[in-house]
């Protein structure tokens, strides 16, 4: 099954995935996911331009073209924001659409003229488009980008966590942010052939979000995101290379998103299952006596022995849903539901202690 | 050797003016804070208190005026200044432990392309001990309470061993025990010869905590030792008549005679 083409594809996808995971972590933590989407969509006209200019599949020309149109897009965004006062999300959305539309038109024109059917590769990615000859330049660029991240690690760490503190410490924050954005742009552009313009951003976001669920520090998050990126990239590329004509980008994204879903569900501290288990345990450990005492305490705080506590208020005090315990206590006759009062008809249940309940609470040698 | 301009002051501000969308937020600020004091900056909402600190630190660009710290421009005096911003300026869900955050206070000193070494890490641990958070060193910051977050922020500033500390509302939204601990910490810094400047939200505690006072409402209303500046007239000027006073402002520390500010902003509101 392992032929040279497959190995090439796996290597390329792994590099792209690792890079996307690393740079995507910063993108996600800084809340700039939309910017990543803009960079990848806005690269399309540049990609087509680079292809046409190099008269073929010149790796460097296409990369350069993508970077140039990405940079141009960034400039237009700044112009809209600073010059015209357009809000960030509207400016980004506008530029994304503008450049992508221009790119699609250019693509159609290019296809008509030079029969360059291979360019649709850049919309959704195609594993088969990666040539053995591309691997070395790709590895070189990827190495440079990762080297940049390593060298400027603590600077990127600080500006991502607390930009003002970085400024106050004298770091050249604007310059660092520009460098980081350039590195992100290079990572995106490098992956366009495999993942495609439309979905590349997901390869930056999904592994980072998945990794966040498992870690307590930035370094572990970045490393884990790289691992997830490699897994999703390689799996997606291999599956799509099986020759059924499925574009690579969507498959890679589905793999990455599956990893994210699993992480969101199963991660130990932050996972949904973990939280649900914690809440269940808190609910279970609520004792009847505790709830009775809380009800009594609440009525005492209101100086009114006939005060009936709202269940929502009781839950907030106890820190867990007391509904099963309340039903149990009601069954034993220690509490009763109070009549509903205007204006809260139909909402929360209200509970008050019965005489038996008061006795049970005061009777200290009686067991649960 | 650069020219020292007004080196006798820890912080010297002259003609400082800051605008936002062609409207002045701070105007014609002349401010001198002597070294070794614990100073409070007070004023109604929209007075420009946070902006003043940020303009001094160079986080915001003024349209006029200059700032000197110990006689030097701020860019040359960074090592001598530390800043504690408001808690909400940061996303506390960021993946970091308490120790990570404190260590980040030293990143500016570690130097380009280097990693924090053992000495830096030891300083971080010492700073955590100063604020009583050493047991939380490996705790993710998303699990901290407001008071704990504030202490971590202060530790991040203390680790820099700066001579001039700026804090933006460090005691806002913090429990009484933490507030007392923070005040004790800052007073200890002042007693050790450092200068502490605090944007303070609570008029009632000014004369108990601070020895120097700056009253601000887009312009400097008054500045100087607390006993001289903390007067009814100055408060009325700063708060524009929206101040409800209980009794007279007689002795410091006399609980019955402290003024309370109402929730309304002053006559000039931003």
């Amino acid at each position: 099954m392992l032929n040279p083409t497959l190995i090439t594809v796996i290597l390329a996808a792994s590099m792209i995935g690792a890079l996307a995971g690393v740079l995507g972590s910063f993108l996600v933590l800084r809340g700039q996911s939309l910017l990543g989407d803009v960079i990848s969509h806005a690269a399309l006209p540049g990609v087509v331009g680079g292809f046409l200019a190099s008269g073929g599949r010149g790796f460097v020309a296409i990369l350069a073209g993508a970077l140039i149109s990405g940079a141009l897009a960034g400039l237009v965004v700044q112009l809209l924001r600073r010059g015209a006062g357009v809000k960030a999300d509207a400016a980004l959305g506008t530029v994304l659409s503008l450049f992508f539309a221009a790119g699609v038109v250019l693509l159609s024109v290019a296809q008509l003229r030079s029969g360059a059917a291979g360019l649709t590769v850049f919309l959704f990615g195609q594993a088969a488009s990666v040539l053995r000859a591309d691997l070395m330049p790709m590895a070189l660029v990827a190495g440079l980008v990762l080297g940049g991240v390593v060298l400027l690690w603590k600077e990127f760490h600080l500006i991502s966590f607390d930009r003002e503190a970085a400024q106050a410490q004298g770091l050249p924050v604007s310059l660092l942010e520009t460098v980081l954005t350039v590195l992100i742009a290079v990572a995106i552009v490098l992956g366009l052939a495999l993942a495609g313009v439309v979905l590349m951003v997901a390869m930056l976001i999904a592994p980072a979000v998945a990794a966040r669920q498992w870690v307590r520090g930035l370094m572990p998050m970045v490393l884990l995101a790289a691992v997830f990126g490699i897994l999703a990239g390689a799996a997606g590329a291999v599956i799509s290379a099986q020759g059924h004509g499925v574009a690579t980008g969507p498959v890679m994204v589905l793999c990455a998103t599956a990893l994210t879903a699993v992480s969101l569900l199963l991660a130990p501290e932050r996972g949904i299952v973990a939280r649900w288990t914690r809440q269940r345990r808190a609910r279970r450990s609520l004792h009847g006596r505790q709830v009775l005492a809380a009800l009594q305490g609440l009525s005492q705080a209101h100086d009114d022995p006939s005060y009936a506590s709202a269940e929502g208020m009781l839950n907030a005090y106890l820190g867990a849903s007391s509904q099963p315990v309340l039903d149990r206590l009601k069954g034993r006759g220690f509490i009763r539901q109070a009549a509903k009062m205007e204006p809260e008809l139909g909402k929360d249940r209200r509970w008050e202690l019965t005489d038996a309940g008061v006795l049970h609470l005061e009777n200290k040698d009686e067991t649960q | 050797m650069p020219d020292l301009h007004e080196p006798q002051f820890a912080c010297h501000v002259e003609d400082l003016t800051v605008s936002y969308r062609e409207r002045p937020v701070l105007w014609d600020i002349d401010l001198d804070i002597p070294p070794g004091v614990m100073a409070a900056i007070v004023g109604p909402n929209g007075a420009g208190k946070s902006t003043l600190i940020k303009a001094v630190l160079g986080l915001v660009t003024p349209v006029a005026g200059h700032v000197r710290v110990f006689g030097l421009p701020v860019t040359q005096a960074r090592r001598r200044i530390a800043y504690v911003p408001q808690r909400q300026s940061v996303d506390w869900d960021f993946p970091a432990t308490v120790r990570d955050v404190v260590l980040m206070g030293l990143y500016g000193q570690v130097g380009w392309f280097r990693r924090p070494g053992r000495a830096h890490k030891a300083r971080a641990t010492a700073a955590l001990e100063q604020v009583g958070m050493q047991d939380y060193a490996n705790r993710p910051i998303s699990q901290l309470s407001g008071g704990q977050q504030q202490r971590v922020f202060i530790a991040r500033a203390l680790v820099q061993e700066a001579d001039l500390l700026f804090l933006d509302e460090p005691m806002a939204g913090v429990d009484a025990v933490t507030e007392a601990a923070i005040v004790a910490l800052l007073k200890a810094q002042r007693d050790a010869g450092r200068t502490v400047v605090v944007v303070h939200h609570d008029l009632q505690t000014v004369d108990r905590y601070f020895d120097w006072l700056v009253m601000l409402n887009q312009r400097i209303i008054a500045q100087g030792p607390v006993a001289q500046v903390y007067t009814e007239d100055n408060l009325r000027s700063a708060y524009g008549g929206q101040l409800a006073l209980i009794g007279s402002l007689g002795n410091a520390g006399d609980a019955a005679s402290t003024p309370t500010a109402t929730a309304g902003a002053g006559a000039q509101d931003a």
Side-chain angles (χ1 to χ4, degrees):
Chain A
M1 246 317 212
L2 251 98
N3 54 53
T5 322
L6 204 58
I7 296 179
T8 306
V9 155
I10 291 176
L11 282 174
S14 303
M15 274 193 281
I16 304 293
L19 214 57
V22 170
L23 274 312
S25 299
F26 289 101
L27 202 69
V28 163
L29 287 173
R30 294 163 59 76
Q32 292 183 311
S33 307
L34 184 54
L35 178 68
D37 212 9
V38 172
I39 294 175
S40 58
H41 279 75
L44 189 60
V47 159
V48 178
F51 178 94
L52 292 175
S54 71
R57 287 206 60 259
F59 179 77
V60 173
I62 290 176
L63 209 79
L67 274 176
I68 291 171
S69 70
L72 215 66
L75 276 167
V76 176
V77 168
Q78 291 297 67
L79 247 154
L80 283 172
R81 289 190 64 194
R82 303 265 162 85
V86 180
K87 290 225 178 79
D89 64 336
L92 289 165
T94 306
V95 170
L96 187 160
S97 321
L98 171 67
F99 275 67
F100 186 61
V104 170
V105 167
L106 255 172
L107 187 59
S108 320
V109 167
Q111 277 186 288
L112 283 173
R113 284 182 65 210
S114 54
L119 272 184
T120 45
V121 148
F122 286 97
L123 279 177
F124 291 109
Q126 191 50 255
S129 70
V130 177
L131 302 174
R132 197 104 173 279
D134 293 335
L135 279 182
M136 263 323 275
M138 206 183 260
L140 201 67
V141 174
L144 283 172
V145 170
L146 285 177
V149 171
V150 166
L151 277 177
L152 292 173
W153 176 262
K154 62 180 192 300
E155 285 76 13
F156 288 161
H157 191 188
L158 187 53
I159 64 172
S160 303
F161 175 63
D162 190 347
R163 194 179 187 276
E164 274 182 353
Q167 272 180 300
Q169 286 193 39
L171 263 63
V173 172
S174 293
L175 179 61
L176 286 165
E177 286 185 328
T178 306
V179 171
L180 181 57
T181 308
V182 167
L183 291 176
I184 289 172
V186 172
I188 288 175
V189 153
L190 212 59
L192 286 181
L194 266 178
V197 149
V198 173
L199 289 173
M200 181 65 199
V201 74
M203 288 308 293
L204 284 120
I205 299 175
V209 170
R212 175 70 189 91
Q213 309 310 312
W214 301 90
V215 301
R216 288 182 166 196
L218 183 63
M219 176 73 84
M221 174 173 170
V222 165
L223 290 173
L224 191 57
V227 169
F228 284 158
I230 292 173
L231 286 173
V238 165
I239 293 173
S240 93
Q242 296 313 307
H244 299 295
V246 181
T248 311
V251 183
M252 280 167 74
V253 169
L254 285 173
C255 294
T257 317
L259 280 170
T260 310
V262 166
S263 303
L264 287 170
L265 274 173
L266 297 181
E269 274 175 12
R270 298 167 63 101
I272 295 175
V273 168
R275 284 190 213 190
W276 185 72
T277 315
R278 272 201 303 270
Q279 276 168 13
R280 259 189 92 200
R281 212 178 295 143
R283 243 193 354 252
R284 284 263 176 89
S285 70
L286 267 186
H287 294 304
R289 189 171 288 277
Q290 218 178 330
V291 176
L292 284 176
L295 279 169
Q296 189 177 61
L298 279 169
S299 75
Q300 278 170 357
H302 281 80
D303 272 334
D304 175 5
S306 67
Y307 178 80
S309 305
E311 191 168 324
M313 197 161 76
L314 192 61
N315 291 341
Y317 175 74
L318 292 166
S321 167
S322 57
Q323 185 230 318
V325 181
L326 288 169
D327 288 333
R328 208 182 344 128
L329 290 171
K330 178 179 169 189
R332 293 182 68 184
F334 293 146
I335 59 175
R336 68 168 155 264
Q337 213 170 330
K340 295 215 204 282
M341 302 177 323
E342 297 237 8
E344 287 175 29
L345 290 171
K347 276 199 202 166
D348 235 0
R349 302 189 292 181
R350 298 185 88 95
W351 298 95
E352 57 190 1
L353 284 162
T354 59
D355 295 332
V358 174
L359 277 175
H360 178 79
L361 197 55
E362 287 167 2
N363 197 334
K364 291 198 170 79
D365 42 35
E366 194 179 315
T367 48
Q368 272 284 44
Chain B
M1 188 63 207
D3 266 325
L4 292 178
H5 175 66
E6 307 280 3
Q8 69 277 20
F9 294 118
C11 180
H12 166 74
V13 177
E14 213 175 306
D15 295 340
L16 190 74
T17 301
V18 177
S19 289
Y20 180 67
R21 299 217 172 138
E22 288 119 47
R23 281 233 194 99
V25 173
L26 288 173
W27 194 68
D28 192 22
I29 302 289
D30 293 323
L31 177 64
D32 288 308
I33 299 181
V37 300
M38 184 143 146
I41 301 181
V42 299
N45 290 331
K49 307 189 289 288
S50 291
T51 310
L52 177 57
I53 305 265
K54 291 187 188 181
V56 164
L57 289 166
L59 305 180
V60 155
T61 316
V63 296
H66 63 263
V67 176
R68 293 288 183 269
V69 167
F70 299 112
L72 293 165
V74 171
T75 45
Q76 293 174 30
R78 295 262 180 224
R79 281 291 178 94
R80 302 184 68 179
I81 313 176
Y83 175 46
V84 181
Q86 290 187 17
R87 276 205 319 276
Q88 48 265 45
S89 66
V90 145
D91 176 15
W92 290 92
D93 202 38
F94 193 92
T97 60
V98 163
R99 183 186 280 113
D100 290 338
V101 174
V102 177
L103 205 51
M104 277 196 250
L106 288 173
Y107 277 5
Q109 295 181 22
V110 170
W112 291 101
F113 315 132
R114 290 221 195 92
R115 306 223 161 287
R118 214 178 306 149
H120 295 116
K121 293 184 184 159
R123 279 166 71 182
T125 309
L128 278 175
E129 281 167 10
Q130 264 185 293
V131 301
M133 291 282 291
Q134 68 277 21
D135 294 333
Y136 293 79
N138 290 317
R139 186 81 54 102
I141 57 177
S142 54
Q143 293 179 13
L144 298 180
S145 71
Q148 291 169 333
Q149 288 173 352
Q150 195 62 62
R151 289 191 211 214
V152 172
F153 254 16
I154 293 179
R156 185 178 69 171
L158 291 178
V159 80
Q160 298 172 38
E161 290 169 8
D163 296 315
L164 175 55
L165 287 156
F166 287 103
L167 300 98
D168 198 345
E169 303 207 356
M171 295 175 256
V174 138
D175 60 277
V177 172
T178 307
E179 176 164 335
I182 291 176
V183 171
L185 252 167
L186 295 177
K187 284 191 174 171
Q189 292 293 305
R190 189 263 323 263
D191 295 339
R194 300 191 167 125
T195 311
V196 179
V197 179
V198 175
V199 171
H200 195 54
H201 70 294
D202 183 11
L203 272 181
Q204 294 213 13
T205 47
V206 164
D207 53 353
R208 254 191 291 143
Y209 294 167
F210 300 97
D211 52 29
W212 195 269
L213 181 56
V214 176
M215 276 199 212
L216 179 70
N217 192 353
Q218 295 182 353
R219 307 197 57 191
I220 297 285
I221 305 295
Q223 57 181 307
V226 166
Q228 284 173 26
V229 173
Y230 197 49
T231 64
E232 227 173 279
D233 284 339
N234 282 336
L235 283 166
R236 205 170 276 127
S237 304
Y239 286 81
Q242 299 286 321
L243 193 62
L245 296 169
I246 305 170
S248 66
L249 294 171
N251 314 308
D254 181 353
S257 64
T258 48
T260 2
T262 56
Q268 312 105 306
D269 74 302

